[in-house]
Amino acid sequence: MAERDPAWKVLPKPSHPHDSARLHVSGEARYADDLGEPADMLHLAFGQSTEARARVASMDLAAVRAAPGVVAVFTAADIPGANDVSPVAGDDRLLADGEVICHGQSLFLVAATSQRAARIAARLGKVEYEPLPAAITIADAQAAEAHIEPVQRMSRGDAPGALAVAPHRLAGAFEMGGQDHFYLEGQVAVATPGEDGQIHVLSSTQHPSEVQHLIAHMLHLSSADVTVEVRRMGGAFGGKETQAALFAGAAALVAHRTGRPAKFRCDRDDDMVMTGKRHEFEVRYDVGFDDAGLLTALSLHLASRCGATVDLSPAINDRAMFHADNCYFLPNVDVVSERLKTNTVSATAFRGFGGPQGMLAIERVIDHVAAHLGLDPLDVRVANLYGPGRDTTPYEMVVADNIAPQIIARLRNTARYDERSRAVEAFNAASPVLKKGIALTPVKFGISFTTTHLNQAGALVHVYADGSIQVNHGGTEMGQGLYVKVAQVVADVFCVPLDAVRITATRTDKVPNTSATAASSGADLNGMAAYNAATAIRERLVAFLARTYGCGEEGVHFTPAGVLVGAETLTFGQVARKAHLGRISLSSTGYYATPGIDYDRTVFKGRPFYYFAYGASVSEVVIDTLTGESRVLAVDILHDVGRSLNPMVDKGQIEGGFLQGQGWLTTEELVFDAKGRLLTHSPATYKIPTASDRAKHFTIALWDGENVEPTINRSKAVGEPPFMLANSVFSALNRAIAATVPGKRAIPPLDAPATPEKILKALSSYRGIGHKATP
């Protein structure tokens, strides 16, 4: 049998443009809302709750039904099957049934001849409520003892005992806010009824299989009767992993009940009010350490606002706990995670999936220790890194691929960290109003779904008789470049140009039972599944050619110049035609399941991740001490993507992830009032980063290594890890504030996001009473 020619897996890959780049620039890329609408299309809108928690005493929808353009109005009573659009717990309702649990919750559904008509009518419902006690904040939920699940604990060693004898001990607390996904394409779904009760749904979702299954249960259909399709999304960031099911379910219900196609294109304000956000966290810590800043004990308490339903909060908070070590060895540690149920829109997946909150907590601890000892925070970071004899996480996973020390050392040198730190000190000494700060922070991010069964993928590859290739897989394209990466994998297997491979929309009737495109695992899982499918076809072709030409299989080689068979060279098209005439199957499925994952959630022990992705960043910032305004002046990044499948696509992900993280930590502030109403529900009040927020000096370099695990091309995931590189911005802001009182050995009480108001508050407090430290 011919060798599989595996060398392609370890060779550097060229940077191909994103498969839709030309279409994006020309405006030809078609999204769900761009498709032509049939004359009988219905447009949808929800009637929403105006209370955070209440019993629905009565609901008069006569005015809604009589409104111009309205064709039908639906309530929970009109759902033939399960009134459920939740991922796991069964507590997310398509339409509220008797009680509302957050402001903006969907009460009834309007189908009209236009979106405007539907939205106007949806506001005409007359609903009477019997208000119930509501928990809005984390403190409210703690007082009411309202949790989505029991408090979780992950421990190693004897944290209380080690704290009691620590040479130094500090306690502190801070808060970090949530974040809206603010994808450019809002939530949208188009449902079209088919014959014999079948239904097709075009959905902007990261999880087509979940949407398929939920719709089937809701309509009393089998999953085989529901097809969900996704060609591309205009951004998602986790916000379309579970949240898309609400809008797809509504469209499917209307199409099923009326026999007419139905579209739900959610208005931006409604989208922000009704869909989940990043989890808000409150952090408390008690840390023990020695004179060099080496941590000897840590007690860490993480409290998160999970919202009104469970959603994915257990897994998200678990990941926060897993990443509370970041790159640091914690010999005696006790991490407690409190998952609080509040009457606000349910928090959900967001890039990093709890990892950013856990990492920011430990970076704050490191900064506090450094400030107390009067040391450079980078030196304290380096002292606490994982290393020989200190290579096991609190959940007992060995850090076998630890390259954080080398990455930090190289970036410290190439970014001239020490030289620039001295320049920042000199600037601050001469500048009474503007103060600068600089910080270098690392990232160690675990790659895999922590829910083990989700670590699997399927693919379908067709080779046509003319030599063209079509590939389909369970991953979804949200702008991150997954499609072009998987196409490159298939093209490399056959040694054909990339333009010979046609990428097709993700569909549940082609590859079934798929996992969400999430956890940064899209290329790892789907790339390997596509590789297996393509390789199966190639092996059939090798055997066929060897038989046909009377040579051994070792004499058949796929090369960029053609397929070499003995002394002959054939084009790939000629091989495909001959194989078709020779009755050789040119189609194959492929499957891949991530190996080596073994984790027991009941004791928080095991190996939840296949490998870690690493990175580090240096950020230099300046603040105006009179206004609280801040600016990121310079960013230098060194990031580990293994042997990149597509270096330019990966660099784009790194830059975008960093900027999104910068937004979370500086400008993006979610504000709820005392009644649980979101006040920041439009671009007028919610500030995402813009091009002008990008540092003028911004460099990205890729680490020149490869994955120690046999992933596709020995590459590493790149979707989420870069988000946490922005932690260096927050640390630098802390140092800029601290520069207003030189020599003070305390950390400013800065919360995230570090808006001008919060910076001014921290400045005022820091210039007054500092943190108390126990010697």
Side-chain angles (χ1 to χ4, degrees):
M1 187 177 195
E3 185 182 352
R4 283 192 173 189
D5 298 332
W8 74 271
K9 294 191 293 181
V10 294
L11 292 175
K13 296 298 162 195
S15 291
H16 293 281
H18 189 287
D19 60 284
S20 296
R22 179 181 59 80
L23 302 178
H24 287 151
V25 172
S26 65
E28 297 176 83
R30 294 195 296 175
Y31 294 84
D33 195 40
D34 294 326
L35 303 182
E37 297 179 0
D40 60 344
M41 176 73 83
L42 295 174
H43 297 264
L44 314 181
F46 283 125
Q48 300 172 33
S49 167
T50 58
E51 295 288 331
R53 184 174 177 227
R55 281 195 267 304
V56 179
S58 66
M59 191 160 59
D60 181 359
L61 303 180
V64 180
R65 292 188 170 93
V70 171
V71 174
V73 179
F74 301 92
T75 66
D78 298 306
I79 299 172
N83 183 10
D84 176 23
V85 289
S86 61
V88 179
D91 57 349
D92 277 297
R93 301 280 172 259
L94 176 66
L95 298 169
D97 188 7
E99 182 177 330
V100 293
I101 53 177
C102 69
H103 180 267
Q105 185 179 0
S106 51
L107 280 169
F108 57 90
L109 176 62
V110 180
T113 54
S114 71
Q115 185 201 35
R116 179 175 174 79
R119 294 193 70 225
I120 290 174
R123 283 150 176 76
L124 300 178
K126 298 176 181 178
V127 183
E128 294 186 1
Y129 300 95
E130 296 175 1
L132 297 170
I136 305 302
T137 65
I138 287 177
D140 292 341
Q142 288 172 327
E145 297 184 347
H147 299 84
I148 61 152
E149 67 171 343
V151 173
Q152 303 292 309
R153 183 184 298 271
M154 182 173 69
S155 299
R156 173 170 62 190
D158 179 13
L163 282 169
V165 299
H168 301 272
R169 186 172 177 179
L170 289 171
F174 76 111
E175 301 174 0
M176 58 189 93
Q179 185 179 22
D180 189 84
H181 302 85
F182 216 94
Y183 23 67
L184 292 183
E185 176 205 33
Q187 298 282 355
V188 60
V190 181
T192 305
E195 62 183 24
D196 198 24
Q198 296 178 73
I199 194 162
H200 174 275
V201 181
L202 187 65
S203 175
S204 185
T205 177
Q206 294 172 244
H207 202 343
S209 285
E210 182 172 271
V211 170
Q212 174 197 27
H213 299 154
L214 288 170
I215 288 173
H217 294 153
M218 182 185 69
L219 300 180
H220 268 325
L221 298 173
S222 70
S223 292
D225 291 324
V226 181
T227 298
V228 177
E229 178 179 353
V230 188
R231 174 54 184 92
R232 61 173 61 86
M233 290 169 274
F237 312 115
K240 296 175 180 177
E241 184 172 349
T242 65
Q243 305 296 289
L246 176 67
F247 305 96
L253 174 65
V254 172
H256 181 76
R257 293 299 302 264
T258 65
R260 294 170 61 172
K263 176 190 286 189
F264 203 133
R265 179 172 63 81
C266 194
D267 176 83
R268 176 66 66 180
D269 290 82
D270 292 341
D271 192 320
M272 294 185 73
V273 167
M274 300 185 74
T275 61
K277 322 293 180 196
R278 184 183 296 281
H279 288 64
E280 171 189 328
F281 270 57
E282 292 183 0
V283 177
R284 299 197 310 272
Y285 57 87
D286 190 351
V287 61
F289 52 98
D290 66 14
D291 291 344
L294 190 68
L295 304 189
T296 58
L298 175 64
S299 175
L300 183 65
H301 185 274
L302 307 174
S304 73
R305 176 156 71 173
C306 297
T309 61
V310 173
D311 197 80
L312 298 175
S313 291
I316 291 165
N317 283 270
D318 285 356
R319 188 172 276 267
M321 297 171 74
F322 291 141
H323 289 83
D325 62 336
N326 195 11
C327 294
Y328 313 116
F329 178 73
L330 306 174
N332 299 284
V333 60
D334 188 23
V335 181
V336 175
S337 172
E338 196 175 4
R339 296 101 191 266
L340 294 149
K341 183 174 184 177
T342 57
N343 295 109
T344 51
V345 64
S346 209
T348 190
F350 201 133
R351 196 176 200 166
F353 204 78
Q357 294 95 318
M359 281 193 201
L360 192 66
I362 190 63
E363 295 300 339
R364 176 59 162 253
V365 171
I366 294 286
D367 284 339
H368 197 172
V369 169
H372 177 70
L373 295 173
L375 299 174
D376 187 316
L378 180 54
D379 292 334
V380 177
R381 289 186 166 92
V382 170
N384 283 284
L385 293 174
Y386 281 105
R390 296 161 45 89
D391 60 356
T392 306
T393 68
Y395 45 93
E396 296 185 356
M397 178 175 170
V398 175
V399 183
D401 59 348
N402 183 26
I403 55 174
Q406 298 96 306
I407 287 178
I408 291 171
R410 183 182 296 181
L411 183 63
R412 185 174 195 163
N413 178 53
T414 58
R416 300 179 296 106
Y417 173 83
D418 296 291
E419 176 187 338
R420 289 165 61 188
S421 293
R422 292 189 292 270
V424 165
E425 289 181 9
F427 175 90
N428 289 337
S431 175
V433 175
L434 300 180
K435 297 292 182 180
K436 288 184 178 181
I438 189 170
L440 189 159
T441 60
V443 166
K444 173 181 69 66
F445 190 78
I447 303 300
S448 288
F449 287 98
T450 53
T451 303
T452 304
H453 79 270
L454 297 177
N455 294 288
Q456 58 176 308
L460 177 64
V461 174
H462 299 316
V463 174
Y464 292 95
D466 65 352
S468 61
I469 302 165
Q470 192 178 90
V471 58
N472 191 275
H473 54 82
T476 57
E477 176 63 54
M478 58 198 90
Q480 83 278 36
L482 173 63
Y483 274 21
V484 71
K485 286 184 175 182
V486 176
Q488 285 178 237
V489 168
V490 173
D492 284 343
V493 169
F494 296 112
C495 286
V496 298
L498 182 60
D499 58 13
V501 181
R502 171 62 67 183
I503 305 164
T504 59
T506 304
R507 288 177 59 110
T508 56
D509 60 355
K510 285 192 173 182
V511 178
N513 307 318
T514 58
S515 299
T517 305
S520 301
S521 61
D524 283 0
L525 293 174
N526 296 285
M528 193 64 84
Y531 171 77
N532 289 338
T535 300
I537 298 172
R538 191 179 70 175
E539 289 178 346
R540 293 178 204 153
L541 292 173
V542 167
F544 166 73
L545 291 170
R547 289 195 309 270
T548 302
Y549 286 84
C551 66
E553 292 186 3
E554 67 279 0
V556 179
H557 298 279
F558 288 73
T559 75
V563 181
L564 308 182
V565 187
E568 292 198 41
T569 301
L570 305 172
T571 67
F572 185 71
Q574 289 173 325
V575 169
R577 178 66 66 185
K578 287 179 181 291
H580 174 63
L581 294 175
R583 298 188 298 177
I584 301 301
S585 171
L586 296 177
S587 178
S588 180
T589 59
Y591 178 79
Y592 175 74
T594 308
I597 297 173
D598 183 18
Y599 171 68
D600 184 352
R601 186 176 187 258
T602 61
V603 293
F604 278 90
K605 302 295 181 186
R607 182 185 179 182
F609 307 119
Y610 191 33
Y611 63 87
F612 294 104
Y614 296 86
S617 66
V618 174
S619 291
E620 186 175 339
V621 305
V622 64
I623 64 170
D624 185 325
T625 59
L626 299 180
T627 65
E629 294 174 281
S630 67
R631 181 168 292 279
V632 180
L633 300 174
V635 173
D636 295 280
I637 293 171
L638 178 58
H639 197 71
D640 163 38
V641 295
R643 288 194 177 273
S644 175
L645 285 167
N646 192 315
M648 288 309 297
V649 166
D650 285 349
K651 285 186 175 182
Q653 284 293 292
I654 293 166
E655 182 174 347
F658 183 95
L659 264 294
Q660 193 172 49
Q662 178 182 320
W664 172 53
L665 294 172
T666 58
T667 63
E668 298 185 49
E669 186 174 26
L670 293 169
V671 180
F672 292 87
D673 70 9
K675 295 184 178 180
R677 295 176 296 193
L678 180 66
L679 303 181
T680 50
H681 54 76
S682 78
T685 50
Y686 186 81
K687 299 300 182 182
I688 64 171
T690 66
S692 62
D693 294 302
R694 180 188 184 276
K696 289 185 178 179
H697 171 88
F698 200 113
T699 68
I700 299 172
L702 300 182
W703 177 253
D704 51 351
E706 65 177 41
N707 200 335
V708 298
E709 299 294 346
T711 54
I712 197 75
N713 196 50
R714 295 279 180 172
S715 63
K716 286 191 178 184
V718 72
E720 292 172 294
F723 183 95
M724 287 143 283
L725 294 170
N727 288 345
S728 60
V729 172
F730 193 69
S731 290
L733 288 170
N734 270 296
R735 296 190 76 187
I737 295 170
T740 61
V741 188
K744 183 172 184 177
R745 294 196 171 189
I747 192 166
L750 181 64
D751 294 325
T755 60
E757 295 88 348
K758 289 182 180 176
I759 288 176
L760 284 175
K761 182 179 178 182
L763 280 166
S764 177
S765 178
Y766 191 71
R767 287 163 164 170
I769 301 173
H771 289 253
K772 293 181 179 179
T774 303

